[in-house]
Amino acid sequence: MMMSLLASGVAGTEIPAWVALAYLAAGVLFILALRGLSSPQTSRAGNRYGMIGMLIAVVTTLVTHNIANIAEIGIAMFLGGIIGVTVARKIAMTAMPELVAGFHSLVGLAAVVVGLAAWLDPGSFGITDATGQILLVSRIELGLGIAIGAITFSGSVIAFLKLSGRMSGNPILLPARHAINLGTLVAILGMIAAYAVSGAGGAGEGQLIIWITVAAFIIGFLLIIPIGGADMPVVVSMLNSYSGWAAAAMGFTLGNTAMIITGALVGSSGAILSYIMCKAMNRSFISVIAGGFGAEASGGDGEPREQRPYKQGSAADAAFMLEQAEKVIIIPGYGMAVAQAQHALREMCDLLEEKGVNVKFAIHPVAGRMPGHMNVLLAEASVDYDKVFELEDINSEFAQADVAFIIGANDVVNPAAKTDKSSPIYGMPVFDVDKAKQVFFIKRSMGGVGYAGVDNDVFYMDQTMMLLSDAKKMVEEIVKSID
């Protein structure tokens, strides 16, 4: 919505100095927003900077627009606002990952629609020469913007389906997928080049644009379906980057500084985050963005590989041993989000600290279904920021921990990542919970495995006690036992 609004701004006209300054101010605020969002302590300020920057950009565009009727813009903003508020109020925290993927798809679709509108009526967008033909550079920008937007749309739709459980989270590997992907990408680039050098217009030019759009929709689908569930947090970040580059490409086409700045910031920050996450997971960045290049089918089928003996405990057992501990490290995962157990967990943490227990939280870079998922949940429960640590900062402390308390996590504590070369999570850094004196593992039943679909040897370790129950219910029972 914001992309479409900004696109209706001052393209094709001389930009007044105050407009350039306003967009520059908005860009600076966007940069400050990213800086603020880099830390939980400054995230609220970062959000405020971002909102103020977007307000400046939108108001400036409204004042200077020369394409759409202001009433039409107002109606569109009102309808979009109503939809956004309704969705935001109803969405559960556990559904945030698929919501983000869904919104990314809308950004990509907006880029496609704006690009097609500029192609259909280039004069209104000020991208024509004296003969009325679209400028060469604008043709390139249009082709790239439409292609990236279409890839973002279809890829985000697949990510939404996988994250929401409407499609299997396992990699879907097509025969000769690498050749198909590469051939489709080359075809898209070839058609963009052909469109750029064609200046006669007519049916042939229209067919090229249509085929570019169709092929980009297809490749977005093909790039995401081979990516397995363990890599989905990277996919969300990667699609965020794609949506930014699509917006930036449209900004160049439309001569809108705000879109260029915002798109470039989103694109570059998303790409950097994707790279950091790939590094944290020991994944190849190129492999992931190329659509799971070299991926193999999941090593599991959703069930443990064999029935092995394990020790099961009760809330009373866990409460007693937690009270006796000196140091407890809590590892939250997606199961905590599903059960909405973060508030009960915070209460348990407070009670243990009153008894002199040192409690810390360990957050894996890909815990949950999107970057920062666990951080958001813990912040919602008012867990102090200084108690939350990233993997590289706390992993060495498990050897000194009396208890590793795992709640709803699985793949991020699975030693198969270090020992089993056939495992789909092999090479991913995981928490060394096996070094703790005692491990409590909360999960619903022994019948399920992690999102990557592989069994976990931690279940069967001598020092592990399985607490089989809904996470929230189990933690609440532990709290009652501590009292």
PDB file of all heavy atoms in Angstrom, residues 236-259:
ATOM      1  N   VAL A 236      12.395 -16.337   5.355  1.00  0.00           N
ATOM      2  CA  VAL A 236      11.621 -15.143   5.711  1.00  0.00           C
ATOM      3  C   VAL A 236      12.487 -13.895   5.569  1.00  0.00           C
ATOM      4  O   VAL A 236      12.075 -12.877   4.998  1.00  0.00           O
ATOM      5  CB  VAL A 236      11.077 -15.262   7.146  1.00  0.00           C
ATOM      6  CG1 VAL A 236      10.423 -13.959   7.580  1.00  0.00           C
ATOM      7  CG2 VAL A 236      10.061 -16.395   7.245  1.00  0.00           C
ATOM      8  N   SER A 237      13.714 -13.974   6.075  1.00  0.00           N
ATOM      9  CA  SER A 237      14.628 -12.838   5.970  1.00  0.00           C
ATOM     10  C   SER A 237      14.993 -12.559   4.518  1.00  0.00           C
ATOM     11  O   SER A 237      15.063 -11.402   4.081  1.00  0.00           O
ATOM     12  CB  SER A 237      15.892 -13.133   6.791  1.00  0.00           C
ATOM     13  OG  SER A 237      16.854 -12.115   6.627  1.00  0.00           O
ATOM     14  N   MET A 238      15.217 -13.609   3.749  1.00  0.00           N
ATOM     15  CA  MET A 238      15.602 -13.465   2.349  1.00  0.00           C
ATOM     16  C   MET A 238      14.481 -12.813   1.536  1.00  0.00           C
ATOM     17  O   MET A 238      14.717 -11.933   0.703  1.00  0.00           O
ATOM     18  CB  MET A 238      15.940 -14.833   1.777  1.00  0.00           C
ATOM     19  CG  MET A 238      16.375 -14.841   0.320  1.00  0.00           C
ATOM     20  SD  MET A 238      16.740 -16.522  -0.225  1.00  0.00           S
ATOM     21  CE  MET A 238      15.097 -17.260  -0.180  1.00  0.00           C
ATOM     22  N   LEU A 239      13.238 -13.240   1.770  1.00  0.00           N
ATOM     23  CA  LEU A 239      12.106 -12.658   1.054  1.00  0.00           C
ATOM     24  C   LEU A 239      11.908 -11.197   1.437  1.00  0.00           C
ATOM     25  O   LEU A 239      11.478 -10.384   0.618  1.00  0.00           O
ATOM     26  CB  LEU A 239      10.845 -13.466   1.349  1.00  0.00           C
ATOM     27  CG  LEU A 239      10.810 -14.874   0.740  1.00  0.00           C
ATOM     28  CD1 LEU A 239       9.642 -15.667   1.286  1.00  0.00           C
ATOM     29  CD2 LEU A 239      10.744 -14.798  -0.785  1.00  0.00           C
ATOM     30  N   ASN A 240      12.228 -10.867   2.678  1.00  0.00           N
ATOM     31  CA  ASN A 240      12.196  -9.467   3.088  1.00  0.00           C
ATOM     32  C   ASN A 240      13.175  -8.653   2.254  1.00  0.00           C
ATOM     33  O   ASN A 240      12.873  -7.538   1.819  1.00  0.00           O
ATOM     34  CB  ASN A 240      12.539  -9.350   4.573  1.00  0.00           C
ATOM     35  CG  ASN A 240      12.524  -7.921   5.070  1.00  0.00           C
ATOM     36  OD1 ASN A 240      11.504  -7.254   5.037  1.00  0.00           O
ATOM     37  ND2 ASN A 240      13.671  -7.452   5.524  1.00  0.00           N
ATOM     38  N   SER A 241      14.349  -9.226   2.018  1.00  0.00           N
ATOM     39  CA  SER A 241      15.341  -8.555   1.184  1.00  0.00           C
ATOM     40  C   SER A 241      14.831  -8.380  -0.244  1.00  0.00           C
ATOM     41  O   SER A 241      14.962  -7.304  -0.840  1.00  0.00           O
ATOM     42  CB  SER A 241      16.643  -9.366   1.181  1.00  0.00           C
ATOM     43  OG  SER A 241      17.605  -8.785   0.322  1.00  0.00           O
ATOM     44  N   TYR A 242      14.233  -9.426  -0.798  1.00  0.00           N
ATOM     45  CA  TYR A 242      13.692  -9.341  -2.154  1.00  0.00           C
ATOM     46  C   TYR A 242      12.656  -8.229  -2.277  1.00  0.00           C
ATOM     47  O   TYR A 242      12.629  -7.489  -3.263  1.00  0.00           O
ATOM     48  CB  TYR A 242      13.029 -10.668  -2.542  1.00  0.00           C
ATOM     49  CG  TYR A 242      13.983 -11.806  -2.809  1.00  0.00           C
ATOM     50  CD1 TYR A 242      13.501 -13.094  -3.041  1.00  0.00           C
ATOM     51  CD2 TYR A 242      15.361 -11.621  -2.827  1.00  0.00           C
ATOM     52  CE1 TYR A 242      14.364 -14.156  -3.284  1.00  0.00           C
ATOM     53  CE2 TYR A 242      16.222 -12.668  -3.066  1.00  0.00           C
ATOM     54  CZ  TYR A 242      15.726 -13.935  -3.288  1.00  0.00           C
ATOM     55  OH  TYR A 242      16.581 -14.980  -3.530  1.00  0.00           O
ATOM     56  N   SER A 243      11.781  -8.123  -1.276  1.00  0.00           N
ATOM     57  CA  SER A 243      10.741  -7.093  -1.338  1.00  0.00           C
ATOM     58  C   SER A 243      11.363  -5.700  -1.343  1.00  0.00           C
ATOM     59  O   SER A 243      10.863  -4.784  -2.006  1.00  0.00           O
ATOM     60  CB  SER A 243       9.784  -7.250  -0.151  1.00  0.00           C
ATOM     61  OG  SER A 243      10.414  -6.943   1.081  1.00  0.00           O
ATOM     62  N   GLY A 244      12.465  -5.541  -0.615  1.00  0.00           N
ATOM     63  CA  GLY A 244      13.145  -4.245  -0.616  1.00  0.00           C
ATOM     64  C   GLY A 244      13.738  -3.894  -1.967  1.00  0.00           C
ATOM     65  O   GLY A 244      13.599  -2.769  -2.449  1.00  0.00           O
ATOM     66  N   TRP A 245      14.387  -4.875  -2.597  1.00  0.00           N
ATOM     67  CA  TRP A 245      14.985  -4.611  -3.910  1.00  0.00           C
ATOM     68  C   TRP A 245      13.909  -4.334  -4.961  1.00  0.00           C
ATOM     69  O   TRP A 245      14.105  -3.506  -5.863  1.00  0.00           O
ATOM     70  CB  TRP A 245      15.856  -5.787  -4.348  1.00  0.00           C
ATOM     71  CG  TRP A 245      17.035  -6.040  -3.465  1.00  0.00           C
ATOM     72  CD1 TRP A 245      17.379  -7.203  -2.849  1.00  0.00           C
ATOM     73  CD2 TRP A 245      18.041  -5.085  -3.080  1.00  0.00           C
ATOM     74  NE1 TRP A 245      18.524  -7.033  -2.107  1.00  0.00           N
ATOM     75  CE2 TRP A 245      18.954  -5.754  -2.232  1.00  0.00           C
ATOM     76  CE3 TRP A 245      18.253  -3.740  -3.357  1.00  0.00           C
ATOM     77  CZ2 TRP A 245      20.062  -5.118  -1.667  1.00  0.00           C
ATOM     78  CZ3 TRP A 245      19.361  -3.100  -2.795  1.00  0.00           C
ATOM     79  CH2 TRP A 245      20.238  -3.788  -1.967  1.00  0.00           C
ATOM     80  N   ALA A 246      12.764  -4.988  -4.828  1.00  0.00           N
ATOM     81  CA  ALA A 246      11.658  -4.716  -5.753  1.00  0.00           C
ATOM     82  C   ALA A 246      11.181  -3.271  -5.599  1.00  0.00           C
ATOM     83  O   ALA A 246      10.926  -2.573  -6.588  1.00  0.00           O
ATOM     84  CB  ALA A 246      10.499  -5.688  -5.491  1.00  0.00           C
ATOM     85  N   ALA A 247      11.068  -2.829  -4.363  1.00  0.00           N
ATOM     86  CA  ALA A 247      10.644  -1.446  -4.118  1.00  0.00           C
ATOM     87  C   ALA A 247      11.674  -0.455  -4.649  1.00  0.00           C
ATOM     88  O   ALA A 247      11.326   0.576  -5.239  1.00  0.00           O
ATOM     89  CB  ALA A 247      10.420  -1.228  -2.622  1.00  0.00           C
ATOM     90  N   ALA A 248      12.967  -0.756  -4.442  1.00  0.00           N
ATOM     91  CA  ALA A 248      14.017   0.143  -4.924  1.00  0.00           C
ATOM     92  C   ALA A 248      13.998   0.236  -6.445  1.00  0.00           C
ATOM     93  O   ALA A 248      14.160   1.329  -7.016  1.00  0.00           O
ATOM     94  CB  ALA A 248      15.382  -0.348  -4.441  1.00  0.00           C
ATOM     95  N   ALA A 249      13.804  -0.886  -7.131  1.00  0.00           N
ATOM     96  CA  ALA A 249      13.750  -0.877  -8.592  1.00  0.00           C
ATOM     97  C   ALA A 249      12.593  -0.015  -9.082  1.00  0.00           C
ATOM     98  O   ALA A 249      12.741   0.775 -10.030  1.00  0.00           O
ATOM     99  CB  ALA A 249      13.610  -2.311  -9.118  1.00  0.00           C
ATOM    100  N   MET A 250      11.447  -0.134  -8.439  1.00  0.00           N
ATOM    101  CA  MET A 250      10.305   0.702  -8.815  1.00  0.00           C
ATOM    102  C   MET A 250      10.569   2.171  -8.508  1.00  0.00           C
ATOM    103  O   MET A 250      10.113   3.065  -9.217  1.00  0.00           O
ATOM    104  CB  MET A 250       9.053   0.234  -8.072  1.00  0.00           C
ATOM    105  CG  MET A 250       8.487  -1.098  -8.552  1.00  0.00           C
ATOM    106  SD  MET A 250       7.929  -1.054 -10.280  1.00  0.00           S
ATOM    107  CE  MET A 250       9.305  -1.880 -11.094  1.00  0.00           C
ATOM    108  N   GLY A 251      11.323   2.411  -7.425  1.00  0.00           N
ATOM    109  CA  GLY A 251      11.665   3.792  -7.086  1.00  0.00           C
ATOM    110  C   GLY A 251      12.501   4.458  -8.158  1.00  0.00           C
ATOM    111  O   GLY A 251      12.302   5.633  -8.493  1.00  0.00           O
ATOM    112  N   PHE A 252      13.450   3.712  -8.727  1.00  0.00           N
ATOM    113  CA  PHE A 252      14.248   4.262  -9.826  1.00  0.00           C
ATOM    114  C   PHE A 252      13.370   4.545 -11.042  1.00  0.00           C
ATOM    115  O   PHE A 252      13.504   5.587 -11.699  1.00  0.00           O
ATOM    116  CB  PHE A 252      15.361   3.282 -10.202  1.00  0.00           C
ATOM    117  CG  PHE A 252      16.569   3.356  -9.312  1.00  0.00           C
ATOM    118  CD1 PHE A 252      16.849   2.335  -8.423  1.00  0.00           C
ATOM    119  CD2 PHE A 252      17.422   4.450  -9.370  1.00  0.00           C
ATOM    120  CE1 PHE A 252      17.959   2.401  -7.591  1.00  0.00           C
ATOM    121  CE2 PHE A 252      18.531   4.537  -8.549  1.00  0.00           C
ATOM    122  CZ  PHE A 252      18.805   3.500  -7.656  1.00  0.00           C
ATOM    123  N   THR A 253      12.478   3.608 -11.323  1.00  0.00           N
ATOM    124  CA  THR A 253      11.598   3.787 -12.476  1.00  0.00           C
ATOM    125  C   THR A 253      10.721   5.020 -12.319  1.00  0.00           C
ATOM    126  O   THR A 253      10.509   5.786 -13.271  1.00  0.00           O
ATOM    127  CB  THR A 253      10.698   2.554 -12.655  1.00  0.00           C
ATOM    128  OG1 THR A 253      11.532   1.429 -12.917  1.00  0.00           O
ATOM    129  CG2 THR A 253       9.723   2.740 -13.805  1.00  0.00           C
ATOM    130  N   LEU A 254      10.230   5.229 -11.118  1.00  0.00           N
ATOM    131  CA  LEU A 254       9.275   6.304 -10.875  1.00  0.00           C
ATOM    132  C   LEU A 254       9.932   7.591 -10.411  1.00  0.00           C
ATOM    133  O   LEU A 254       9.254   8.587 -10.185  1.00  0.00           O
ATOM    134  CB  LEU A 254       8.250   5.847  -9.832  1.00  0.00           C
ATOM    135  CG  LEU A 254       7.487   4.574 -10.218  1.00  0.00           C
ATOM    136  CD1 LEU A 254       6.751   4.014  -9.023  1.00  0.00           C
ATOM    137  CD2 LEU A 254       6.526   4.858 -11.358  1.00  0.00           C
ATOM    138  N   GLY A 255      11.232   7.578 -10.239  1.00  0.00           N
ATOM    139  CA  GLY A 255      11.926   8.776  -9.804  1.00  0.00           C
ATOM    140  C   GLY A 255      11.561   9.195  -8.403  1.00  0.00           C
ATOM    141  O   GLY A 255      11.569  10.381  -8.071  1.00  0.00           O
ATOM    142  N   ASN A 256      11.224   8.225  -7.544  1.00  0.00           N
ATOM    143  CA  ASN A 256      10.803   8.525  -6.176  1.00  0.00           C
ATOM    144  C   ASN A 256      11.924   8.191  -5.210  1.00  0.00           C
ATOM    145  O   ASN A 256      12.254   7.027  -4.992  1.00  0.00           O
ATOM    146  CB  ASN A 256       9.536   7.735  -5.833  1.00  0.00           C
ATOM    147  CG  ASN A 256       8.913   8.201  -4.531  1.00  0.00           C
ATOM    148  OD1 ASN A 256       9.476   7.990  -3.471  1.00  0.00           O
ATOM    149  ND2 ASN A 256       7.758   8.837  -4.627  1.00  0.00           N
ATOM    150  N   THR A 257      12.520   9.225  -4.619  1.00  0.00           N
ATOM    151  CA  THR A 257      13.666   9.045  -3.735  1.00  0.00           C
ATOM    152  C   THR A 257      13.327   8.217  -2.516  1.00  0.00           C
ATOM    153  O   THR A 257      14.131   7.395  -2.061  1.00  0.00           O
ATOM    154  CB  THR A 257      14.207  10.414  -3.290  1.00  0.00           C
ATOM    155  OG1 THR A 257      14.404  11.239  -4.433  1.00  0.00           O
ATOM    156  CG2 THR A 257      15.515  10.266  -2.540  1.00  0.00           C
ATOM    157  N   ALA A 258      12.136   8.426  -1.960  1.00  0.00           N
ATOM    158  CA  ALA A 258      11.754   7.703  -0.750  1.00  0.00           C
ATOM    159  C   ALA A 258      11.714   6.197  -1.003  1.00  0.00           C
ATOM    160  O   ALA A 258      12.165   5.406  -0.163  1.00  0.00           O
ATOM    161  CB  ALA A 258      10.389   8.187  -0.251  1.00  0.00           C
ATOM    162  N   MET A 259      11.188   5.797  -2.160  1.00  0.00           N
ATOM    163  CA  MET A 259      11.131   4.368  -2.470  1.00  0.00           C
ATOM    164  C   MET A 259      12.526   3.796  -2.668  1.00  0.00           C
ATOM    165  O   MET A 259      12.804   2.665  -2.252  1.00  0.00           O
ATOM    166  CB  MET A 259      10.297   4.145  -3.730  1.00  0.00           C
ATOM    167  CG  MET A 259       8.802   4.294  -3.513  1.00  0.00           C
ATOM    168  SD  MET A 259       7.864   3.923  -5.012  1.00  0.00           S
ATOM    169  CE  MET A 259       8.179   2.174  -5.195  1.00  0.00           C
TER     170      MET A 259
END
